Amino acid sequence: MTDSAGTPAEPDDTADRAPGAGSGTGGGRHGGGRRQRSRRRSLRWAALGVSLLVMLVSGVGWWLYRSLEGNITTDLTAVEELERYDKERPLPAPHGAQNILLIGSDSRAGAENRKYGRDRGVQRSDTTILLHIAGDRRSVTAVSVPRDLLVGIPSCRTAEGTRSRAQHAQFNSAFAIGGAACTIRTVERLTGVRIDHHMVVDFHGFKSMVDAVGGVTVCLPAAIDDRDAQLKLNAGRQTLNGEQALGYVRARKSLGNGSDTERMDRQQQFLGALFDKVQSNGVLLNPARLYPVLDAATRSLTTDPGLDSLKDLFDLARSLRGVPTERVQFLTVPRRSHPYDPNRDVLVQPAASRLFERLRQDAPVRVVPKETTTSTVGDTERDTATGSQNPSATPTFSGTNATSARCG
């Protein structure tokens, strides 16, 4: 074909094109390019969204981490005081064992603690427990030190900056005189065991931790109605909230014979039940459950610099995760009433010395129920063939373990 000028015309291939081809909307090469660009934009937005989400989660995680760390109070005063007497302190435990002194303060300072009594500006150690964590991390031995035990208290630095005189007095006076440092030095002189770390928890902190794990179950042989402890409970299986738990472990006038001995027994049984609850509920492995516990613990926790960070506390908790519940043992320093003052205690020897020596050496301690050790507390096991004592055997003490606190 030719045009009007006689020039050959280009062939018209419109009829040969596929429908929608060419420059039509959404078709051909240009339409595919637009779809690819659209997918790339979607992927970029998705990546940006994921990045923002990661940043948000990381930011929240960092804020939670810093918030928890900020809750902890570091006891630098105790560290400085202990450094002054480092040369006279016992040697560290062998095999990587650790000894932590847990101090329950009866301070009434602060709004949460004031309802338990008037704040007179003096606090004493309502509860003191020497926690020995074995070097192989397969056992824990918690030794209660009676507050009425008569001990030698060294000269200590007071809150006013003066020096107290060395004296022979009841154990919980040490905390009132010179705080944690004075208590640690008193325990080290009494036992020969070096204290690696210490923690001080007040009433509110104890209550909050119990509430954070959803309460702790105990079995009561009889109903309790103690006005002083603000506690009224029926007999049998009871799950105690924080307020009830505090009354339960502090009561001494209306429960049992009203002695400090029975009060310490209840404290040990309750702590065993608390440990069992934390282990069985998987709290240590579940961040959603662990955070409230850490938040409650850190808000009322004062500790040395070696345990004043979440990493330190987490490492400690992780090291205890593999301890079998039955290997978490509780006992009280062997003691008896003072012959001239039934309201004061003295050590029972040689049982107390045997216990302290085992802790110093990171050697095993065997704890059995009281009824099986009436006359053999602190005794070494006997040779079954001769009936004589075997000095290399594990000494036996009366006490309990974390499984004993379970309700049948």
Side-chain angles (χ1 to χ4, degrees), residues 75 78 82 101 103 174-175 178-186 198 200 302:
D75 189 356
L82 292 173
L101 197 65
I103 303 173
F175 194 71
C182 194
T183 301
I184 290 169
R185 292 181 60 213
T186 300
H198 70 276
V200 182
T302 299

Side-chain angles (χ1 to χ4, degrees), residues 59-223:
V60 171
W62 177 248
W63 179 83
L64 292 175
Y65 182 89
R66 296 301 299 172
S67 175
L68 289 175
E69 285 220 324
N71 290 342
I72 305 172
T73 301
T74 306
D75 189 356
L76 295 176
T77 302
V79 174
E80 294 170 359
E81 177 72 358
L82 292 173
E83 285 178 348
R84 291 171 56 96
Y85 298 94
D86 190 63
K87 291 184 179 180
E88 69 180 43
R89 298 181 65 194
L91 295 174
H95 315 135
Q98 282 196 330
N99 295 299
I100 302 175
L101 197 65
L102 307 178
I103 303 173
S105 167
D106 67 354
S107 171
R108 270 68 171 180
E112 292 291 342
N113 295 320
R114 198 170 295 131
K115 63 182 177 180
Y116 301 108
R118 185 182 303 172
D119 180 15
R120 296 182 173 87
V122 176
Q123 57 180 343
R124 297 197 177 195
S125 50
D126 196 57
T127 301
T128 304
I129 296 176
L130 172 57
L131 191 69
H132 177 79
I133 304 173
D136 61 7
R137 298 304 188 264
R138 298 298 296 165
S139 67
V140 175
T141 302
V143 183
S144 295
V145 182
R147 63 182 186 178
D148 295 331
L149 183 69
L150 290 178
V151 296
I153 301 176
S155 172
C156 296
R157 184 178 183 273
T158 68
E160 293 76 27
T162 59
R163 307 295 306 184
S164 67
R165 61 178 178 83
Q167 55 193 285
H168 193 69
Q170 67 184 76
F171 172 70
N172 69 339
S173 298
F175 194 71
I177 294 170
C182 194
T183 301
I184 290 169
R185 292 181 60 213
T186 300
V187 170
E188 289 184 342
R189 288 194 172 195
L190 177 71
T191 65
V193 174
R194 186 182 180 99
I195 304 302
D196 300 298
H197 302 289
H198 70 276
M199 295 181 177
V200 182
V201 182
D202 64 17
F203 293 153
H204 178 60
F206 176 82
K207 286 174 17 183
S208 298
M209 281 187 283
V210 173
D211 286 333
V213 299
V216 174
T217 301
V218 297
C219 292
L220 305 179

Side-chain angles (χ1 to χ4, degrees), residues 273-289:
L274 177 60
F275 182 90
D276 192 38
K277 176 73 176 284
V278 170
Q279 288 279 61
S280 62
N281 275 20
V283 171
L284 298 179
L285 299 176
N286 188 332
R289 290 182 174 180

Side-chain angles (χ1 to χ4, degrees), residues 223-287:
I224 298 175
D225 188 359
D226 190 316
R227 187 171 299 176
D228 290 337
Q230 303 176 28
L231 187 65
K232 189 171 184 178
L233 298 168
N234 295 324
R237 184 187 181 95
Q238 300 289 336
T239 298
L240 308 184
N241 61 29
E243 189 73 37
Q244 293 169 325
L246 181 61
Y248 180 71
V249 299
R250 294 188 65 233
R252 62 185 297 185
K253 295 182 179 179
S254 63
L255 298 185
N257 59 12
S259 69
D260 200 41
T261 298
E262 289 207 1
R263 189 178 70 99
M264 284 187 295
D265 289 344
R266 285 197 308 277
Q267 290 173 352
Q268 293 169 3
Q269 291 168 1
F270 186 86
L271 289 175
L274 177 60
F275 182 90
D276 192 38
K277 176 73 176 284
V278 170
Q279 288 279 61
S280 62
N281 275 20
V283 171
L284 298 179
L285 299 176
N286 188 332

